[in-house]
Every structure is written in C-alpha cells, then in structure tokens.
Amino acid sequence: MSYEWDSDLETGHEIIDKQHKEMFAVLNELLDAHRAGRGVKELSKTMEFLTAYVIQHFADEEKLQDMYDYPDKLNHKTYHNEFKHTAKELVQKLENEGYSDALLQNTIRIIADWLVYHIKSDDFRLAAHVQTMLKSEKK
C-alpha cells in the first residue's frame, strides 16, 4: 500500500500543495524502507523530518491565514497544535518502546489519515477563502 497524491487533494495553492505532496512522498519512502527491512533506521529519521517539516508547513499556512484574515484561523491553529502534540507522542512512543512493525504501521496510518482529512476539510476551506479574497482584490 502507498499513499497516492491526486487532484482530489489539491487546494489550488501552489506552496501548500507542494508541501502536502512532499509529506506524502516521505510517508511512501518510509513504507518502501519498511518493505526493504530498513524500517528501524528510517522511522526515526522520518519522524524527525516530519516533525520539523510540519512545523514549517503549519507556519506557512498560518501566515496565509493572517494575510487573508481567515475567519476560522483559531480553530485551524488548534488542529495544527493537536497534530503537533500527536507527532510528539509518536516520537516519544518510539523512544520509549523502540521500533516495531506495529508502531511503524500505526504511525503511518495516523499521519496519513490526519493529513488527508485535514487537507480535504480544513485546508480546502482555507484555500477557498484565499481564492475568494484574491478575486475580491482584483475587482
């Protein structure tokens, strides 16, 4: 199984979509590493990358929300903070329990499920708002 990026996940915002695609690519690299027996080494590396990358991605989204006075920015930021907490818990679990196939599969599932849900709900609403604001600026 791998996570495929398709047009149903595009928000229409180039930077945000590029970052989302990168997160999908990293998850798929982790899956490939797991299949090749390199999951132990790759899980820690992937979690470090995703933790840092997600922080940057969320900061970019929140900057966009501020630029376009997004009315739901407090809730959106709350969702971001909840995911940061979830990511920290996964890293902590890896540190405390060590690598296992179950932990790897659970980590990938949690990240991928959250990412797809967040894109299709929260990020789509943000992108629609930005598009509306851009259209009204052109008038």
Side-chain angles (χ1 to χ4, degrees), residues 5-135:
W5 178 267
D6 64 35
S7 60
D8 288 346
L9 295 169
E10 290 179 4
T11 65
H13 191 276
E14 184 180 347
I15 294 170
I16 300 302
D17 287 340
K18 181 180 178 212
Q19 291 174 344
H20 289 158
K21 287 177 191 177
E22 181 69 20
M23 286 186 262
F24 272 75
V26 168
L27 286 173
N28 285 324
E29 288 171 16
L30 180 57
L31 280 168
D32 291 344
H34 173 64
R35 287 185 206 114
R38 299 184 327 270
V40 173
K41 188 167 124 181
E42 293 298 316
L43 182 57
S44 293
K45 185 173 103 176
T46 299
M47 289 308 296
E48 285 176 30
F49 170 82
L50 281 175
T51 300
Y53 198 81
V54 160
I55 289 168
Q56 181 59 53
H57 172 68
F58 289 168
D60 290 346
E61 279 190 4
E62 290 166 13
K63 181 179 173 185
L64 195 62
Q65 292 173 37
D66 289 337
M67 280 175 53
Y68 293 98
D69 198 25
Y70 184 53
D72 199 32
K73 67 183 171 185
L74 292 178
N75 283 328
H76 201 120
K77 186 172 181 143
T78 298
Y79 303 140
H80 287 172
N81 288 337
E82 288 170 357
F83 185 76
K84 287 179 201 175
H85 179 73
T86 298
K88 285 179 185 176
E89 285 179 338
L90 291 168
V91 168
Q92 190 67 41
K93 192 169 188 165
L94 175 62
E95 290 171 359
N96 291 342
E97 298 175 15
Y99 175 84
S100 70
D101 285 346
L103 178 59
L104 180 131
Q105 292 172 7
N106 190 47
T107 298
I108 291 171
R109 183 190 52 75
I110 288 170
I111 293 169
D113 287 353
W114 186 88
L115 184 58
V116 169
Y117 176 80
H118 185 67
I119 291 169
K120 286 188 171 189
S121 60
D122 308 311
D123 288 350
F124 275 14
R125 284 194 302 272
L126 170 59
H129 176 76
V130 169
Q131 291 299 323
T132 300
M133 297 299 285
L134 288 171
K135 286 177 185 174

